[in-house]
Amino acid sequence: MKALILRADENASVATARALIDKGFQFLSVNTQVVAHALIRVDTIDLLVMDEQIEGQLTHAIALSGERRNPYLSAILLTDRERGQTDDLYDLIPSLYGLVGSAATPELIGKLALS
């Protein structure tokens, strides 16, 4: 399975990648939405792990683009929204599999990726 990691923090990206490698994933890691969109157009992504915002812009469109290419895509969104502010995200992003805080450990992300 192939994962696309879209994180603003390079250290967080590396840690997330290591956790996913340990779970058997291949990965692509980027820190801009433009590159993420380009990769989604040319490759089939099974798992998307992304910060909700990169450079002040929401990343929801990345998940929607990935869904068009692979309807079985699962997305894990890292966000700092409070519990009551996240309910609408599952309606907006059908591939959304899980929401975790942006400070979530890579191990937790790896466990969600396998579940």
Side-chain angles (χ1 to χ4, degrees), residues 13-75:
S13 287
V14 170
T16 302
R18 285 186 184 138
L20 294 178
I21 288 170
D22 289 345
K23 303 297 184 194
F25 283 86
Q26 296 177 342
F27 74 93
L28 302 165
S29 182
V30 299
N31 62 359
T32 67
Q33 292 193 54
V34 172
V35 176
H37 272 294
L39 287 173
I40 284 173
R41 280 189 224 110
V42 298
D43 205 347
T44 301
I45 305 299
D46 301 298
L47 174 67
L48 180 58
V49 178
M50 63 183 187
D51 291 338
E52 184 177 19
Q53 289 191 22
I54 300 288
E55 298 176 348
Q57 295 185 355
L58 292 173
T59 58
H60 303 168
I62 302 291
L64 296 173
S65 293
E67 282 175 31
R68 281 191 292 270
R69 176 100 165 119
N70 177 8
Y72 302 105
L73 173 77
S74 294

Side-chain angles (χ1 to χ4, degrees), residues 4 9 22 36-37 40 47-48 62 65 70 72 76 87 92-93 95-96 99 103 107 110 112:
L4 175 60
D9 179 351
D22 289 345
H37 272 294
I40 284 173
L47 174 67
L48 180 58
I62 302 291
S65 293
N70 177 8
Y72 302 105
I76 298 172
D87 295 339
L92 295 171
I93 307 170
S95 65
L96 187 58
L99 289 168
E107 292 77 22
L112 282 172

